[in-house]
Amino acid sequence: DAMVIQNPRYQVTQFGKPVTLSCSQTLNHNVMYWYQQKSSQAPKLLFHYYDKDFNNEADTPDNFQSRRPNTSFCFLDIRSPGLGDAAMYLCATLIEGGNEQFFGPGTRLTVL
Amino acid sequence: AQSVTQLGSHVSVSEGALVLLRCNYSSSVPPYLFWYVQYPNQGLQLLLKYTSAATLVKGINGFEAEFKKSETSFHLTKPSAHMSDAAEYFCAVSQNTGGFKTIFGAGTRLFVKA
């Protein structure tokens, strides 16, 4: 079965301490997305990759970075987490055919 | 530019009653339209999608939605609500131009009363 796996599911970090969230996908698609979803809000696109071509949304803070070492894996790095970065972080890719996003289960980030 | 408007941030129905969640969209080109469901601390699960085939789309868990171009609407319905339908529902629109990017509505939380 096609899968998007996110680790960890729950992450606690301290204010200002760098944190990395990971995502892997078995659909072998060349597009991957990272979304931030705050409580009771819609998911907000942070950036996406087309192969290794990185596409940053205009309003994504510089505090958020990403790496994609290969087709299957993608990482979200938060360099200096603030209290406002506490959220659910969702990773997604496209299904074969490319007309539907497939989401992972998310990582819930808590910043103390 | 694309946009999605979901009418009603909260909807409450009784178990067994009709569920109707409203969604209106704006798109300059023929859109792809989606409904996703999200349970607490989980990712988004696709309920159904419209991709320019049949205007009445049937999805999982007994949900369906009708694409009405003249009304720019894509409302989600289910004839009989079940307690397990209580969740957050997101309507979304995508275009396959310059990369497949999705715009989400603000979401509607569905409450189901026993």
Side-chain angles (χ1 to χ4, degrees), chain B residues 3-69:
Chain B
S3 67
V4 177
T5 302
Q6 290 185 240
L7 299 175
S9 58
H10 297 84
V11 170
S12 181
V13 300
S14 298
E15 192 173 22
L18 172 72
V19 175
L20 171 61
L21 304 183
R22 299 178 187 274
C23 173
N24 288 91
Y25 71 92
S26 171
S27 178
S28 57
V29 299
Y32 296 97
L33 294 163
F34 307 86
W35 276 100
Y36 289 90
V37 62
Q38 186 177 35
Y39 297 98
N41 288 315
Q42 294 189 27
L44 300 176
Q45 180 184 8
L46 183 71
L47 279 177
L48 49 81
K49 67 179 179 182
Y50 168 78
T51 57
S52 77
T55 56
L56 182 62
V57 182
K58 294 187 183 298
I60 62 171
N61 301 339
F63 284 93
E64 63 181 38
E66 186 172 8
F67 172 68
K68 291 188 177 181
K69 185 177 179 180

Side-chain angles (χ1 to χ4, degrees), chain A residues 9-10 31 33 35 37 40-43 45 48 57 88 90 94-95 97-106 108, chain B residues 32 34 36 38 40-46 49 51 88 90 94 96 98-107 109:
Chain A
R9 293 292 318 280
Y10 298 90
V31 184
Y33 306 83
Y35 288 86
Q37 185 182 23
S40 301
Q41 295 185 22
L45 183 64
H48 75 280
E57 293 301 296
M88 175 75 89
L90 298 167
L94 294 178
I95 64 168
N99 64 4
E100 174 190 327
Q101 288 186 321
F102 190 93
F103 285 84
R108 169 74 63 189
Chain B
Y32 296 97
F34 307 86
Y36 289 90
Q38 186 177 35
N41 288 315
Q42 294 189 27
L44 300 176
Q45 180 184 8
L46 183 71
K49 67 179 179 182
T51 57
E88 187 87 22
F90 291 97
S94 299
N96 204 5
F100 194 87
K101 294 174 72 172
T102 300
I103 304 297
F104 290 89
R109 180 162 295 276

Side-chain angles (χ1 to χ4, degrees), chain B residues 66-84:
Chain B
E66 186 172 8
F67 172 68
K68 291 188 177 181
K69 185 177 179 180
S70 61
E71 299 177 8
T72 61
S73 69
F74 191 57
H75 302 330
L76 182 70
T77 60
K78 181 174 180 177
S80 177
H82 192 272
M83 297 297 288
S84 61

